[in-house]
Structures are given as structure tokens and as C-alpha cells.
Amino acid sequence: MKSFNDGPNRYIAEVVNIKDDPDKLGRSQLRILSIHDDKINIPDKQLHWGMPIKPADEASHQKIGSGGNGLLVGSHVLVHMMDDGQGRQTPYIVGSIPKAGDKKDGETKNG
């Protein structure tokens, strides 16, 4: 998938980790396309954790509301960076982007 940036703070990212959130907040670790493309010099352990935006009818406070976010490793998501400028340290997950799956070896784009 190509990178996407329709504004100074919106990006497409790939979920690389959903289990090891150090703060246990239901966040997903994200590799932001066009920023974190260098997987050798930017290993997954250095990537930031993105907080999913929840619907207004979920408290998301004092352990009330759903704990998970339904994303899987490999999911593509739309991310908004809350910190303006070059920092890009605080990603929020706005939504997921439908994806049928990765091609298997020997498979063409039409199956």
C-alpha cells in the first residue's frame, strides 16, 4: 500500500504489535508508512503506540468500555498525529482500512 498524507498530521500505518502495550491501554504499535519505511534502522521496538479513538458511547475510563480494539497485526489504519510538527510522537487511530490479506507466494493480484 502506498503512503498517504492529505494533511500535515494524517497518515496510513501498519499495525505491528497488539499484545505488548506497556501501559495496558489497548493500544497498537504502528509502523507509519513514509516515515518508518526503513525496517533495518527503525526496528519495531522503537515504534510508537497508537491509541484507538473509541465511540462516544464508550466510557473508556476507569476500566469501563471495551478493552480491545479489534485490530490484527498487519491491519492498515488511518492515523492522526496529535503533536504537530516533526515530533510525530502521539498517534491516534481513527479507523481501519479494509484489506483482504497479503498475497501468497506464486499468487497473482487476481488470485
Side-chain angles (χ1 to χ4, degrees), residues 4-106:
F4 166 80
N5 181 356
D6 74 343
N9 295 318
R10 286 182 291 266
Y11 300 90
I12 290 179
E14 182 175 353
V15 175
V16 298
N17 187 345
I18 57 173
K19 295 182 180 180
D20 301 320
D21 178 359
D23 295 332
K24 308 288 187 230
L25 296 172
R27 299 177 301 172
S28 297
Q29 199 167 22
L30 305 170
R31 181 169 294 280
I32 299 171
L33 305 181
S34 78
I35 296 175
H36 302 132
D37 292 338
D38 186 350
K39 292 181 180 181
I40 293 173
N41 291 312
I42 308 172
D44 289 354
K45 67 181 179 179
Q46 292 181 357
L47 299 174
H48 301 293
W49 291 89
M51 178 69 74
I53 300 293
K54 299 285 186 165
D57 62 352
E58 283 201 33
S60 300
H61 182 64
Q62 296 180 347
K63 298 183 180 181
I64 299 172
S66 67
N69 61 27
L71 298 173
L72 301 172
V73 170
S75 294
H76 284 135
V77 294
L78 180 63
V79 174
H80 181 81
M81 295 300 219
M82 297 304 286
D83 53 341
D84 202 5
Q86 295 300 314
R88 298 183 193 118
Q89 305 288 313
T90 312
Y92 283 84
I93 301 169
V94 179
S96 63
I97 299 167
K99 178 181 170 189
D102 296 323
K103 290 190 293 187
K104 297 177 184 171
D105 289 341

